[in-house]
Amino acid sequence: MASPAAAGPGAALPPGSARRDFYWLRSFIAGGVAGCCAKTTTAPLDRVKILLQAHNHHYKHLGVFSTLCAVPKKEGYLGLYKGNGAMMIRIFPYGAIQFMAFDQYKKVIKKQLGISGHVHRLMAGSMAGITAVICTYPLDMVRVRLAFQVKGEHKYMGIIHAFKMIYTKEGGFSGFYRGLMPTVVGMAPYAGFSFFTFGTLKSIGLAQAPNLLGRPSLDNPDVLVLKTHVNLLCGGIAGAIAQTISYPLDVTRRRMQLGAVLPDSEKCLTMVQTLKYVYQQHGIRRGLYRGLSLNYIRCIPSQAVAFTTYELMKQFLHLN
């Protein structure tokens, strides 16, 4: 069989070779779109979660639904989306890196370490989550600072101003990585169990009830994929399990990120110190798990939309 070079400079490339060349780029785009769709769906709930986790003095006496009603009254309906611009700037690369890294880590773990089955999903998911967090953490820091602000008490005028203020007032680049350790420690189980649960449910569903739960992929009829409503259900379950396991570390991360904004910031300088302080001051239910009911309402649809959008984008971009 003649090689492409032997066929002459005008010869066409083998079918699918151009698509393989840009696989990583299409995977990057699919993950970014999935992340943006998921976070936009739940942006108001994310703002309320930050306000409750860090005990903002305007809303600390309120519950989840009371805060959802109080924010529009005090700050207008756009107040529910405060910090969402920074969120989108962060979440596209975050989602893109996470989903793309998961696919790559899964291949490496299976090929180089010889680990397959459900375990390699857990390992690849944890590693992908950590990679995405480290790459996009400064953007998350800025987004949290903007979301914590209340109308009439603005310390930061926008994304660029927040970057400048944190850099000049909080120790340069190290200021952008405050709270990174609890984030990484919390992300490992969150992303790991999220990808593990979704992948396991998907493989079991397609193996046990392919006709009921699956359908042929739009880009490759030989590949079975979950139906959309089943994708949403599996993604939601994955989000709920992952969030329950990692939530106390998420609370710790938020308080450390807010840093100098909080009056008790000197008591929350390290991960262990912050965990102890929150537990001693507020206990488990009202401290370490404060806002969890909101987080279920937020993370279940968020993960459902993220996984479902990614699965659809894989078909549209011929990744199957």
Side-chain angles (χ1 to χ4, degrees):
M1 182 176 176
S3 67
L13 289 171
S17 63
R19 279 186 286 183
R20 285 195 297 271
D21 289 341
F22 293 100
Y23 181 92
W24 67 270
L25 178 59
R26 287 178 286 117
S27 179
F28 188 88
I29 292 171
V33 171
C36 288
C37 289
K39 287 298 182 181
T40 300
T41 302
T42 59
L45 295 171
D46 202 51
R47 170 94 202 282
V48 170
K49 185 191 79 165
I50 291 171
L51 293 171
L52 292 180
Q53 278 185 335
H55 297 81
N56 185 286
H57 66 279
H58 289 283
Y59 305 105
K60 65 181 180 180
H61 59 288
L62 300 176
V64 171
F65 295 106
S66 300
T67 305
L68 272 172
C69 296
V71 170
K73 290 178 182 178
K74 183 173 181 60
E75 306 177 55
Y77 283 101
L78 289 180
L80 292 170
Y81 287 88
K82 187 171 287 183
N84 197 51
M87 167 74 88
M88 290 301 101
I89 293 172
R90 166 191 169 261
I91 205 62
F92 185 90
Y94 177 87
I97 292 168
Q98 186 180 44
F99 278 103
M100 185 178 70
F102 173 71
D103 285 339
Q104 296 305 314
Y105 282 137
K106 196 167 61 169
K107 292 175 184 176
V108 170
I109 290 170
K110 190 173 182 178
K111 186 176 180 180
Q112 301 297 330
L113 302 180
I115 301 173
S116 58
H118 302 311
V119 177
H120 82 303
R121 290 196 194 102
L122 183 63
M123 293 175 63
S126 298
M127 292 164 67
I130 291 171
T131 302
V133 160
I134 292 173
C135 290
T136 61
Y137 195 79
L139 290 167
D140 190 43
M141 169 72 80
V142 169
R143 198 266 307 186
V144 169
R145 294 291 179 93
L146 293 174
F148 188 70
Q149 295 185 132
V150 175
K151 189 176 182 180
E153 299 179 6
H154 283 193
K155 181 178 179 180
Y156 308 109
M157 297 301 107
I159 296 172
I160 302 300
H161 184 247
F163 266 109
K164 288 180 179 177
M165 288 289 287
I166 293 171
Y167 181 79
T168 55
K169 302 287 186 181
E170 299 183 37
F173 285 110
S174 63
F176 292 111
Y177 284 92
R178 182 185 174 101
L180 178 63
M181 186 53 66
T183 305
V184 168
V185 173
M187 180 51 66
Y190 178 77
F193 278 100
S194 186
F195 279 104
F196 167 78
T197 305
F198 179 80
T200 301
L201 290 174
K202 178 182 176 181
S203 62
I204 292 174
L206 292 176
Q208 300 299 320
N211 294 327
L212 178 64
L213 304 178
R215 61 173 177 78
S217 173
L218 298 174
D219 62 323
N220 186 353
D222 294 330
V223 175
L224 270 183
V225 296
L226 292 176
K227 294 176 180 177
T228 302
H229 67 281
V230 182
N231 259 326
L232 288 167
L233 179 61
C234 292
I237 293 172
I241 291 173
Q243 193 60 233
T244 303
I245 293 169
S246 63
Y247 193 75
L249 290 165
D250 189 45
V251 172
T252 302
R253 168 174 65 116
R254 292 301 185 205
R255 292 190 71 91
M256 290 184 72
Q257 281 181 327
L258 289 166
V261 177
L262 298 176
D264 52 3
S265 60
E266 74 282 353
K267 298 175 182 176
C268 301
L269 298 176
T270 67
M271 182 178 74
V272 175
Q273 191 179 15
T274 306
L275 276 169
K276 285 182 178 178
Y277 176 75
V278 173
Y279 173 72
Q280 290 169 356
Q281 292 295 311
H282 306 288
I284 295 176
R285 189 169 69 87
R286 293 185 177 277
L288 296 177
Y289 278 93
R290 179 176 172 82
L292 181 61
S293 59
L294 168 67
N295 229 40
Y296 281 140
I297 299 170
R298 183 191 69 88
C299 81
I300 291 174
S302 177
Q303 286 298 92
V305 171
F307 279 114
T308 302
T309 304
Y310 184 68
E311 291 292 311
L312 290 171
M313 289 299 295
K314 282 172 66 177
Q315 296 174 61
F316 293 144
L317 296 176
H318 300 278
L319 293 171
N320 288 319

